[in-house]
Amino acid sequence: MASRLYRQVFQTQSYLQQIKFLDASLASCYTPEVKAAKLLRQGDHSYDNGNYREAKSYYGGIMQEVDSMKDIKAKKKYRLLYYQSMQDVFEQLGMKSQAEIMKQKYKMTNRDKKDKRR
């Protein structure tokens, strides 16, 4: 049931509908990946509505979930999404130095991924 609900998240473009499916999925079976996906969607919804501080709060929770993930690919995926999302938020909030830090962390994490393929 949880996996069916989780798959439905990616079949709709509505953040509110995605959050609803993720809530139902979480209720049936918690995983850090599902929680991180929910936080990402909530942050995206807030960001798209101009609520950058709220988006920052939601995005901030992603890293707590990343620490609990066992799947290395999922950890990297959500870590990159976190850095990218926070860079955007910091830019919108006028926090240029923090945005630059997120940009550098994104590059380092993404480089690590590419280096391992060689």
Side-chain angles (χ1 to χ4, degrees):
M1 172 122 166
S3 61
R4 180 181 56 81
L5 291 165
Y6 184 72
R7 285 191 302 273
Q8 285 180 303
V9 169
F10 303 102
Q11 296 172 356
T12 180
Q13 297 300 313
S14 166
Y15 289 130
L16 296 177
Q17 192 68 15
Q18 290 174 344
I19 292 165
K20 178 183 165 191
F21 287 131
L22 288 166
D23 277 336
S25 180
L26 271 173
S28 65
C29 178
Y30 169 84
T31 68
E33 291 83 0
V34 170
K35 178 70 177 192
K38 178 185 174 195
L39 290 166
L40 180 66
R41 294 305 185 279
Q42 288 174 307
D44 289 347
H45 177 69
S46 296
Y47 183 90
D48 288 349
N49 286 303
N51 299 325
Y52 305 117
R53 293 194 187 287
E54 184 177 83
K56 180 178 176 255
S57 177
Y58 285 124
Y59 293 145
I62 292 172
M63 287 305 277
Q64 292 174 343
E65 298 305 319
V66 167
D67 291 339
S68 301
M69 292 178 189
K70 295 185 180 4
D71 183 322
I72 293 171
K73 287 182 182 180
K75 276 185 172 227
K76 286 188 179 187
K77 172 187 171 182
Y78 283 103
R79 188 171 281 129
L80 288 170
L81 287 167
Y82 167 78
Y83 294 144
Q84 184 177 37
S85 299
M86 289 300 281
Q87 178 186 349
D88 293 342
V89 166
F90 285 139
E91 286 174 355
Q92 291 297 323
L93 293 173
M95 304 169 85
K96 296 191 185 309
S97 62
Q98 289 91 338
E100 185 60 32
I101 290 168
M102 292 298 122
K103 182 178 179 180
Q104 294 305 317
K105 286 184 176 192
Y106 181 92
K107 286 180 180 180
M108 286 176 24
T109 301
N110 205 29
R111 185 176 335 130
D112 289 346
K113 187 177 179 179
K114 289 177 185 175
D115 289 344
K116 290 181 180 181
R117 290 183 186 173
R118 291 180 185 173

